[in-house]
Amino acid sequence: MRLTVYLAGEIHSSWREEVKMKVAALKLPIDFVGPMEDHDRSDNIGEDILGKQPNSISKDAAASNFNNLRTELLMKQADLVIALFGEKYKQWNTAMDASAAVAFGKPLILIRNEAHHHALKELSRKANATVETVDQAVKALHYIFE
């Protein structure tokens, strides 16, 4: 059995690479997909496809359409979603992606530290598993294949 895992969460740190390296070290049969990690590409995709937009709000709306299309397609094809709520960045996209995973009926592993417990309590109760670290999420993936 091979799984496809959608890695939802902020795109500014290397947490995805950490997950991929740890999964590779365990030789787990997992493919990874996720949001566009090139921030400039993500911000500009609407204009790249539709052309120059009249203002920044229209530019954001155009980009959001294509980013949402990409996210929905990849997430719906995934077998499982891991959503990381990190320390430093605003987490609106992570919350949206984790909620979408729940709505799509995708199994969800939520990574959040103890400090975010209260803010994410409802979402955490909807997740199949809530952990505090990337290592714990990788151990959960490993357990699937035991």
Side-chain angles (χ1 to χ4, degrees), residues 7-26:
L7 298 175
E10 53 89 3
I11 63 170
H12 303 286
S13 70
S14 61
W15 76 272
R16 284 178 182 80
E17 292 310 312
E18 184 182 352
V19 169
K20 291 173 186 177
M21 287 184 346
K22 290 177 179 194
V23 163
L26 293 169

Side-chain angles (χ1 to χ4, degrees), residues 39-109:
H39 201 195
D40 288 337
R41 177 74 170 146
S42 174
D43 282 350
N44 295 315
I45 190 60
E47 289 190 331
D48 291 348
I49 293 172
L50 300 175
K52 182 81 173 142
Q53 297 298 298
N55 56 51
S56 62
I57 292 174
S58 296
K59 178 182 176 182
D60 283 348
S64 295
N65 287 337
F66 295 106
N67 286 321
N68 285 337
L69 171 68
R70 184 179 191 279
T71 297
E72 183 174 340
L73 179 66
L74 293 176
M75 192 179 290
K76 281 185 173 178
Q77 291 180 351
D79 299 298
L80 181 136
V81 175
I82 295 176
L84 175 120
F85 285 86
E87 292 289 322
K88 185 175 179 183
Y89 300 98
K90 304 263 190 242
Q91 305 293 312
W92 296 300
N93 285 349
T94 308
M96 184 181 75
D97 287 351
S99 296
V102 170
F104 295 152
K106 297 294 177 178
L108 173 65
I109 298 173

Side-chain angles (χ1 to χ4, degrees), residues 2 33 43 46 63 66 70 86 95 98 105 110 127 134:
R2 191 157 191 89
V33 294
D43 282 350
F66 295 106
R70 184 179 191 279
L110 192 69
V134 165

